[in-house]
Amino acid sequence: MMLSHRGVCPAIGHAASARCPVPHVPVRFPSRSVVIANAEASESRRKKKEIPEEPLDFLEVAVPRDQRPANELQQLKDGMLYSWGTLPINDFSVRVFATYAIGFAILGGPISYQTFSPTDQPIEWFLAGTTGTMLVVALVVTRIFLGWSYVSERLLSAAIPYEETGWYDGETFVKPPEILTRDRLLGMYEAKPVLRKLKGTLVGTGVTLAVSAILLTGLVKSGADEDGFYGRGASIRPRMVTNSGPIFSREVTDLSQLRTDDALAAKEAAAAGGIPGYCRDRLLKAYAGGQYCPPV
């Protein structure tokens, strides 16, 4: 074997001769499990650091993503109920009217039916059902308004509170100028118009509720019986009082008709509640001697 001037083979970095081959250096490659573990660790570190996805996200990285006002605004737009605020006025009105119609059919109408008959007292039945249903509409619109009002206030504020992991570690984040400018633009041009529309809807709902309640109260007071009852619980009143006696049925114009028409007589008896008509009139009852009249 040919030796160098020092009696050994040249260093590895020098050109090796045929008589002095390059020594073999074993190379170890990482196993598959090590590669996967390293990739998972990198992904975990990326999630913990919350790598920004938007140009300005790095300025508010301290605030969790779901508590940032701009993201909260987007959540309102994507929400099933809160997204009503972003609809055009015609579509929004259709949603509100549909809420009223469904509420009247399920809640207002059936409850009003227990007091007023739709056939005998349709106006009272409709007003009572509308009064109850408008309360439901007002609650729905108020819920939407409160959500948009909360996000609008956070968009326009220079400092916002947030929670890192729970209620016990709340902090306050002071917005940098870039974030504050962006949020206030969103608040002025996206949140404020929605709030104005919702306020107008609440005013209209309140006016409708007040008008229906006032009209219903007036009808009830004007038509209540001697005991103050009105509707299904009130005593039956004659439709008209003639010289021959009180008439209750709408199809009877004179009591003389009942002598020859059994069908009219049955309708008059049903309208009078199955008792003689004079029993429901204090004057006629006293004149006829109403000791045999049942209590009404």
Side-chain angles (χ1 to χ4, degrees), residues 31-70:
S31 63
R32 179 181 179 84
S33 59
V34 173
V35 173
I36 295 176
N38 291 337
E40 292 178 350
S42 300
E43 180 69 14
S44 177
R45 287 193 298 270
R46 188 190 68 82
K47 291 182 178 180
K48 288 182 179 180
K49 292 181 180 180
E50 294 187 353
I51 297 176
E53 298 178 357
E54 299 294 336
L56 298 180
D57 275 3
F58 70 95
L59 296 176
E60 51 182 351
V61 70
V63 183
R65 290 188 181 277
D66 58 345
Q67 298 182 45
R68 299 174 187 175

Side-chain angles (χ1 to χ4, degrees), residues 14 86 101 118 176 219 245 272 279:
H14 298 281
T86 60
L219 290 174
C279 292

Side-chain angles (χ1 to χ4, degrees), residues 122-294:
I123 297 178
E124 292 87 341
W125 172 76
F126 175 76
L127 290 175
T130 298
T131 301
T133 306
M134 293 309 294
L135 289 174
V136 177
V137 176
L139 289 175
V140 173
V141 178
T142 300
R143 187 69 187 92
I144 300 174
F145 176 82
L146 291 177
W148 279 91
S149 178
Y150 170 77
V151 173
S152 175
E153 182 178 354
R154 288 174 63 85
L155 285 170
L156 299 176
S157 298
I160 58 171
Y162 69 95
E163 298 174 354
E164 294 183 356
T165 57
W167 61 268
Y168 48 83
D169 58 354
E171 299 288 345
T172 300
F173 173 70
V174 179
K175 298 179 182 178
E178 297 85 354
I179 298 296
L180 182 59
T181 302
R182 183 201 63 185
D183 287 356
R184 286 186 172 176
L185 288 174
L186 291 174
M188 293 297 298
Y189 293 100
E190 293 196 24
K192 287 296 183 182
V194 174
L195 289 177
R196 286 195 293 268
K197 178 168 56 178
L198 293 175
K199 286 180 180 179
T201 305
L202 285 175
V203 171
T205 302
V207 170
T208 304
L209 176 61
V211 169
S212 60
I214 292 173
L215 291 177
L216 179 62
T217 302
L219 290 174
V220 169
K221 287 186 175 180
S222 63
D225 59 12
E226 294 82 358
D227 298 323
F229 290 99
Y230 187 80
R232 294 184 184 273
S235 59
I236 301 176
R237 289 188 170 188
R239 183 176 62 86
M240 59 187 300
V241 178
T242 63
N243 293 331
S244 59
I247 299 176
F248 293 86
S249 176
R250 298 179 182 273
E251 300 184 19
V252 178
T253 57
D254 191 272
L255 291 179
S256 61
Q257 298 174 284
L258 306 182
R259 300 176 182 176
T260 58
D261 194 330
D262 293 338
L264 281 180
K267 292 180 180 180
E268 176 67 15
I275 62 176
Y278 65 83
C279 292
R280 297 189 180 277
D281 187 272
R282 291 184 175 183
L283 178 61
L284 293 178
K285 180 179 178 180
Y287 180 77
Q291 65 272 18
Y292 300 108
C293 290

Side-chain angles (χ1 to χ4, degrees), residues 86-94 197 201:
T86 60
L87 296 174
I89 187 62
N90 293 335
D91 296 338
F92 177 74
S93 301
V94 170
K197 178 168 56 178
T201 305

